[in-house]
Amino acid sequence: MEFAFTDEQQMIAETARSFFAENATSERTRKAMAGDGVDRALWQAFCQELGLSGIGLPESAGGAGLGMVELAIIAEAAGAQVAALPMLSSLVQAAQAIAAGGDAEQQDQWLPRLISGEVIGGYFYGADIQSDGDRLTGGSRFVAHGASADMFVVTDMRQVWIVSANAPGVSVTSQTSMDQTRPLAHVQLDNVTGERLGDPAAALAAVHRAAFIATAAEALGGAQACLDRTVDYSKERIQFGRPIGSFQAYKHRLADMMIEIEQARSAVYWAACAVDEGAEEAEMAIHAAKSFATDTFFRCAGDMIQLHGGIGFTWEHDAHLYFKRARALQTMLGTNVWHREKIATMILGEAA
């Protein structure tokens, strides 16, 4: 299994990092947080000018034809800036489901608009979804960017449907969320007509793989940004006539962060490579990447606050944006305890 980036992947990584560093500024993110959590100008530029929104989607479905490694690269770059974008819900979940499980007509209708950013997609599993044919009743209280979505991909983990956000019987209520860069909404369906995907198993498998990898990569990017910003601060802050980064205890904390991040990096790209290459350990790898990377991000975000001292605890500093995103990612798509239990079961079977 090859872990080194190809020249093309390296170019994608450099382009994405430069784009998000230049455009996903703290000021723009905070402005988006005051609204619906989407930086519309950034989303349009990402989808239409940068042209990377189709990564991870097959060419036959209108995508760029690249794989999970390239998707992880983009998600890592976005996570490093805590970008206020509906990338996870719209491109990684909704678009992946339609690309893998939709028929040609559904793909032609939705994918070009999702990839171009013209339409924002939402995705949710409703534990209480009741279906009478394609008439759906039920919902979810935790739909990422649900208040911004123009359409939803809905599943009861057996079937998958497309539902228009303005369809009769759809109600969307914004929730107060910890991470305001990815706000949640309560979406309720009341006898709503859904459009069934022809291959729900393929749709669910595609979302399962892509969402775990993208979430893990986003956490990796956030963790690395926490370390980089803390290192920069350690060189600038003077205490007792010396930069605080020169003190041994401070160095040890930074070294611990670096080690955790490098382990998370290995886990994330192991998972992405395993999925792209169809390796036997792919299922284990994606659970390991999600649980390890998001826990690493949370620890690094906490260390970032503490190592910045008093300024790190203020609303004016960006540390709280990273901390809230990290905490949200830990419980998104299943708690990390659940992911580790899945890994234990794969290794030990019933003994787990």
Side-chain angles (χ1 to χ4, degrees):
M1 189 174 291
E2 179 61 59
F3 284 95
F5 286 166
T6 64
D7 291 341
E8 181 183 26
Q9 290 167 343
Q10 188 62 45
M11 181 185 68
I12 291 171
E14 292 171 359
T15 301
R17 283 195 294 265
S18 297
F19 172 80
F20 284 112
E22 181 179 348
N23 296 284
T25 62
S26 174
E27 292 76 17
R28 290 179 60 168
T29 296
R30 290 169 184 267
K31 184 178 179 180
M33 289 165 55
D36 64 353
V38 178
D39 183 336
R40 301 282 174 171
L42 179 65
W43 184 235
Q44 183 178 20
F46 173 74
C47 292
Q48 298 181 11
E49 297 173 23
L50 191 65
L52 294 179
S53 55
I55 280 184
L57 294 167
E59 288 182 290
S60 61
L66 300 175
M68 289 297 104
V69 171
E70 290 79 10
L71 178 64
I73 289 170
I74 300 300
E76 181 184 351
Q81 300 300 129
V82 200
L85 297 178
M87 187 186 308
L88 177 65
S89 60
S90 193
L91 297 177
V92 176
Q93 295 179 302
Q96 284 280 347
I98 296 170
D103 59 30
E105 183 178 347
Q106 290 166 333
Q107 292 178 4
D108 290 343
Q109 179 183 359
W110 292 108
L111 289 179
R113 293 191 289 165
L114 287 167
I115 292 171
S116 70
E118 176 189 348
V119 166
I120 292 177
Y123 179 92
F124 68 90
Y125 156 63
D128 64 343
I129 291 287
Q130 301 293 321
S131 61
D132 180 9
D134 288 332
R135 305 289 291 184
L136 308 175
T137 298
S140 173
R141 303 183 67 86
F142 309 106
V143 183
H145 284 118
S148 307
D150 303 296
M151 55 83 73
F152 298 100
V153 173
V154 182
T155 182
D156 61 359
M157 301 309 289
R158 295 184 297 274
Q159 297 297 328
V160 183
W161 298 268
I162 299 172
V163 173
S164 176
N166 59 11
V170 177
S171 63
V172 180
T173 306
S174 297
Q175 304 275 64
T176 300
S177 309
M178 174 182 288
D179 179 10
Q180 294 171 292
T181 64
R182 183 175 284 141
L184 304 178
H186 179 192
V187 179
Q188 185 65 34
L189 311 179
D190 184 9
N191 199 32
V192 175
T193 300
E195 183 181 349
R196 191 188 301 255
L197 296 189
D199 192 344
L204 292 171
V207 173
H208 174 79
R209 295 189 299 265
F212 287 158
I213 289 172
T215 302
E218 181 183 308
L220 171 62
Q224 184 66 59
C226 289
L227 175 59
D228 292 343
R229 288 176 177 231
T230 306
V231 168
D232 290 342
Y233 179 76
S234 74
K235 298 174 183 177
E236 299 168 358
R237 180 73 167 94
I238 304 299
Q239 191 72 19
F240 304 112
R242 299 166 56 184
I244 59 175
S246 65
F247 294 105
Q248 189 176 39
Y250 203 102
K251 291 179 181 179
H252 285 174
R253 293 285 290 274
L254 294 177
D256 289 342
M257 292 171 69
M258 184 191 72
I259 291 170
E260 292 281 336
I261 290 167
E262 288 308 307
Q263 290 176 325
R265 190 180 311 281
S266 296
V268 168
Y269 286 102
W270 169 46
C273 286
V275 170
D276 282 347
E277 297 181 9
E280 293 181 1
E281 68 268 23
E283 184 68 14
M284 182 185 299
I286 60 176
H287 288 290
K290 195 278 178 183
S291 58
F292 195 93
T294 55
D295 277 350
T296 296
F297 186 16
F298 184 67
R299 284 192 292 270
C300 289
D303 285 343
M304 179 186 187
I305 291 174
Q306 293 187 21
L307 294 175
H308 273 76
I311 188 66
F313 287 84
T314 66
W315 292 122
E316 289 75 16
H317 199 277
D318 289 345
H320 75 95
L321 302 179
Y322 287 90
F323 187 82
K324 290 174 180 177
R325 173 66 69 85
R327 187 66 187 92
L329 287 177
Q330 276 192 310
T331 54
M332 181 175 283
L333 304 177
T335 67
N336 290 342
V337 171
W338 176 79
H339 285 281
R340 286 188 284 271
E341 286 178 348
K342 295 288 286 185
I343 295 170
T345 301
M346 292 175 197
I347 296 172
L348 301 174
E350 292 300 320

